[in-house]
Amino acid sequence: MDFAFMKETFLSLLSGAPLTLNLAFTSVAFGTVFAMILALMRLSGVSVLATVAQAYVFVFRGTPLLVQIFLIYYGLGQFRPALQEWGLWIFFREPYWCAVLALTLNTAAYASEIIRGGLQSVPHQQVEAARACGMSGFLLFRRIVFPIAVRQALPAYGSEIILMVKATSLASIITMMEVTGIAAKLISQTFRAVEIFVVAGLIYLIINFIITRIVMAIEWWLSPHLRRPPAVEPRLEAAHV
């Protein structure tokens, strides 16, 4: 291991971290909105909407993300004349937007199941108690259902965010110069794959460690009822006795 070379490589790969984070969090943001729509479709009770959402989840969870990226970037390019006619080619000709679209569609399928599970985990007794207090409709959802569902779904959703950060490495196959893309370029120039991939893995590890800490902090903030109560001082106990 050449540590001087690894240090230079770290600084070089670090320049791709902003694009990695951009791809991950843009796709997660758009995917969350789409996932919420899919989850509500599954829970709507309308068979047509539920079937469409279930079919979408089945397709995008059952096929590799790599294949989805290829189909969007290279596959839709076969329909360039039609896309130009519809004014969509300006979107699909850019690798960045194709990567964001593929990552968004993929994470929405997984996240919709996480959100659906969170919504279904809300205790029925708490909903009934809120209705007894006069809450209904959006107020009931905002004050009772949504906070509990978020608390239940947050650990699994944090894992999905971490998976999306790692999934951005696949964007390198469509010429995106994020961390893995720069690593592949450096390997082609230096033929030192081991050191470069070790450094690339370290960068992903640091990013995901920070994300994990943030998710844990949010989970702690949303769960005051699960925090350990403060210890009672012995002299106070003696005073009560």
Side-chain angles (χ1 to χ4, degrees):
M1 289 286 184
D2 186 344
F3 291 102
F5 173 75
M6 293 176 69
K7 180 179 178 181
E8 295 177 2
T9 301
F10 181 84
L11 296 176
S12 299
L13 296 183
L14 204 59
S15 64
L19 181 56
T20 293
L21 294 174
N22 184 298
L23 287 170
F25 290 110
T26 301
S27 60
V28 167
F30 289 138
T32 300
V33 176
F34 191 22
M36 180 65 73
I37 295 173
L38 290 171
L40 294 177
M41 289 171 64
R42 290 288 302 274
L43 299 174
S44 64
V46 181
S47 59
V48 175
L49 295 178
T51 301
V52 170
Q54 189 173 6
Y56 174 90
V57 171
F58 174 77
V59 170
F60 278 89
R61 289 204 308 174
T63 56
L65 177 57
L66 181 63
V67 173
Q68 296 165 19
I69 293 175
F70 271 131
L71 288 175
I72 291 174
Y73 185 67
Y74 295 109
L76 293 179
Q78 306 297 317
F79 305 98
R80 179 175 177 177
L83 293 175
Q84 286 178 328
E85 183 179 349
W86 296 338
L88 298 175
W89 180 243
I90 192 172
F91 178 89
F92 288 103
R93 73 181 181 184
E94 297 294 335
Y96 172 82
W97 291 115
C98 289
V100 167
L101 178 61
L103 293 170
T104 296
L105 295 177
N106 184 270
T107 190
Y110 289 92
S112 66
E113 292 298 283
I114 295 173
I115 293 173
R116 183 172 68 91
L119 291 173
Q120 290 180 325
S121 68
V122 177
H124 182 69
Q125 296 85 346
Q126 296 194 24
V127 175
E128 290 300 319
R131 286 174 177 165
C133 293
M135 295 185 188
S136 62
F138 181 73
L139 180 62
L140 174 62
F141 180 81
R142 182 175 64 87
R143 296 290 299 274
I144 304 299
V145 176
F146 184 73
I148 296 176
V150 169
R151 204 158 51 228
Q152 297 292 337
L154 187 60
Y157 211 96
S159 297
E160 177 61 19
I161 295 174
I162 291 173
L163 289 174
M164 290 311 299
V165 171
K166 294 188 291 185
T168 58
S169 62
L170 295 176
S172 61
I173 66 173
I174 55 174
T175 71
M176 297 298 296
M177 286 294 103
E178 38 71 62
V179 172
T180 304
I182 296 175
K185 182 180 178 181
L186 290 176
I187 291 172
S188 66
Q189 294 172 347
T190 63
F191 302 100
R192 303 175 74 168
V194 175
E195 292 99 326
I196 293 174
F197 275 134
V198 166
V199 174
L202 178 62
I203 291 176
Y204 284 110
L205 186 63
I206 293 172
I207 293 173
N208 288 327
F209 175 79
I210 295 172
I211 292 174
T212 301
R213 297 295 114 181
I214 293 174
V215 171
M216 290 178 62
I218 296 174
E219 186 178 0
W220 181 85
W221 177 64
L222 291 175
S223 306
H225 62 291
L226 298 178
R227 300 172 195 166
R228 182 177 299 177
V232 179
E233 296 184 5
R235 57 184 178 182
L236 293 179
E237 291 180 350
H240 285 295
V241 174

